[in-house]
Structure formats: structure tokens, C-alpha cells
Amino acid sequence: MERHRDMQTEDVTGGPLRQWPYRTPRLFDAAVAARYEDWFKTPFGRRAEREERAFVLELLGWLGGPRSILEVGCGTARFARWLSQREHKVVGLDRSPAMLAEARQLAPHLPLVLGDAHALPIGEGAFDVVLFVTTLEFLEDPGRALQEAARVARRGLVLGVLNRWSLAGVRRFWRHGSVRAAGRLLRPAELEDLVRQALDGRVAAVTSRVGVPPWGARWLGARCALGEFIAMGVRLRA
Ligand SMILES: C[S@@+](CC[C@H](N)C(=O)[O-])C[C@H]1O[C@@H](n2cnc3c(N)ncnc32)[C@H](O)[C@@H]1O
């Protein structure tokens, strides 16, 4: 069993972080973590990130402008550190110590938790909103992770998922061949079915948008059905 004693992480409950006994997911290892953000520095990557952020902001607004946000599968904290600069109280959680180590370098003050989306080490209703950005695709049991997210969220969930019906598929991961191969992409309707099945009576409303045109094709507009990114907001019943 691998132990991660040297990880600088914080437990949101204020106590010492439990050491997680599973092995580092090989997919998001140190090599991937080190170059994970490179693509988002390319012209298309910058534009995709800008458009993904706009969707996330719109959905956070739809959920009433939450104060506290847990990002599950935060990776290098690309979204968590941006949101924390926008006056949200953000905590990032990830199962990969390598991705969290990179996040720690990039955002030394951001609270980070080493943990598993399928069994969140967080109490009920601890956050206004739980956010997933391109993480559900990589989980063994995304339905279980949605149930866990709904357990810890008071208001709702914001989900960003790569669109299986995109023209370009997951172009962003072409440079990370193994990463792309491992992701289980969804169609917009599949994502909504997954949410409704997993959360059953807890769903009060769902809204979604599809965008981020492939190849940076500006003429397609920021919202296009064959875009790479599905953004979905889920409002929860108390
Ligand atoms: C494609 S990355 C997305 C990272 C970040 N959300 C972003 O948009 O840049 C997927 C992340 O999910 C994490 N992950 C995969 N399985 C997980 C699990 N069971 N629990 C928590 N995080 C997980 C990976 O370690 C990885 O950092």
C-alpha cells in the first residue's frame, strides 16, 4: 500500500488528514501532472478554458451565487484556484497525490484534500455547491460520486463533462494519449439520465448547455451542440 505522508493537505474539518490507503491512480501520475496545464496555454486551450469558465460562472449564478464550493477531482486546481480568486470559499479534492502536489505548487494557500469522490471525507451539507470539471468521465462509479456530492452539497451541483458527440471528441487529451483513452465520455442526454437515476428524488431542476467548439472554430459560436464541453447545473431539494 502506498502512503502519502509528505502531501501538504488540509482536512476541511480542521483535524489531521486521514491517509488514504489506495495506490496512486496511474493515469494521473507525476508525468501527466507535470504537463497537465500545458495544453491550456495554447491559443485554443486558452479559449476553451475561457468558455468553460463562462459556463461554470453562469451555472453558479443559476444556483444563487454560492459562497462555498468543493471541487471534486480538482487536479492541478485549474478551476479551484480561479474560483478562490473570485471570493468563493473553495476546497479542492483529488485522489491523485501527483495532481495535488502540482496544485499545491500553483496555489500554496488553497485548501486541498486527498480523497476519493466515491467516499468523500466531508460531512453532510458542508458546502453550498459541489463542482466536477472533466472528472466524472474518469470515475469507476460516477453515479455513486454524484450521490456523495449531493450528500455534501446544500444547493446543488455544477458538472462539466466532455461531450461524446463532439466533433473533435477530446482533442485536448490527444497529447495525453493514455488519459484520453481512459475517459468514459457522455452525451448530454446520458449525463442527465445519470444524474436523475443517481439522485432520484433530490433533483429539483436541471439545466444544461453545450459549447466549446472544436478546433477553436469561432464561426460555430460559443454554444454549439457538437462542442466539446457539456455544462450542467443540478438544483437539489433540501
Ligand atoms: C481530467 S482531470 C480534471 C482536473 C480538473 N478538474 C481540471 O478541469 O483541470 C480528472 C481528475 O480527476 C481525478 N480523479 C479521478 N478519479 C478520482 C476519484 N475517484 N476521486 C477523486 N478524484 C479523482 C484525477 O486524479 C484528475 O485529477
Side-chain angles (χ1 to χ4, degrees):
M1 292 274 182
E2 198 166 331
R3 312 277 294 178
H4 312 297
R5 293 184 199 289
D6 56 347
M7 223 24 239
Q8 277 187 59
T9 44
E10 297 172 31
D11 181 338
V12 284
T13 61
L17 177 73
R18 205 141 48 94
Q19 298 294 325
W20 291 84
Y22 42 65
R23 295 188 62 75
T24 306
R26 280 202 2 237
L27 189 56
F28 294 98
D29 61 8
V32 167
R35 65 196 162 107
Y36 181 77
E37 298 219 359
D38 291 354
W39 185 81
F40 297 99
K41 294 175 186 149
T42 65
F44 179 32
R46 274 202 298 273
R47 180 173 173 209
E49 187 171 72
R50 211 166 43 241
E51 291 174 357
E52 290 171 5
R53 285 178 173 184
F55 279 136
V56 167
L57 279 190
E58 191 180 326
L59 294 175
L60 291 174
W62 180 76
L63 287 169
R67 179 153 161 60
S68 60
I69 301 171
L70 172 70
E71 189 190 356
V72 175
C74 66
T76 56
R78 207 165 56 87
F79 273 76
R81 60 180 197 268
W82 163 66
L83 287 169
S84 70
Q85 287 156 9
R86 297 183 60 91
E87 318 250 313
H88 296 285
K89 186 171 162 276
V90 186
V91 172
L93 177 142
D94 204 283
R95 190 168 70 170
S96 159
M99 293 295 267
L100 283 185
E102 202 66 22
R104 172 61 68 219
Q105 292 273 331
L106 295 166
H109 304 297
L110 188 73
L112 297 171
V113 177
L114 182 64
D116 188 346
H118 303 95
L120 294 173
I122 289 167
E124 264 171 51
F127 289 86
D128 292 327
V129 165
V130 175
L131 169 70
F132 291 81
V133 182
T134 60
T135 290
L136 283 176
E137 302 89 314
F138 297 96
L139 301 181
E140 291 86 359
D141 186 348
R144 174 79 201 127
L146 287 170
Q147 287 165 356
E148 275 294 89
R151 181 180 65 75
V152 307
R154 285 187 291 268
R155 289 193 207 171
L157 316 179
V158 173
L159 314 174
V161 172
L162 295 168
N163 183 12
R164 187 144 72 89
W165 273 3
S166 158
L167 285 176
V170 280
R171 183 186 161 96
R172 74 195 62 193
F173 289 124
W174 284 359
R175 290 160 198 226
H176 305 173
S178 60
V179 174
R180 178 189 182 233
R184 197 161 53 101
L185 308 196
L186 296 168
R187 289 182 285 115
E190 282 173 333
L191 178 59
E192 182 160 350
D193 285 351
L194 178 68
V195 166
R196 291 194 182 276
Q197 276 167 25
L199 304 184
D200 200 14
R202 287 262 352 246
V203 177
V206 173
T207 184
S208 63
R209 296 106 179 78
V210 181
V212 185
W215 316 300
R218 286 174 190 278
W219 50 272
L220 281 169
R223 293 187 182 199
C224 82
L226 296 178
E228 294 192 27
F229 192 71
I230 309 167
M232 185 169 287
V234 182
R235 204 174 276 151
L236 295 172
R237 284 184 223 288

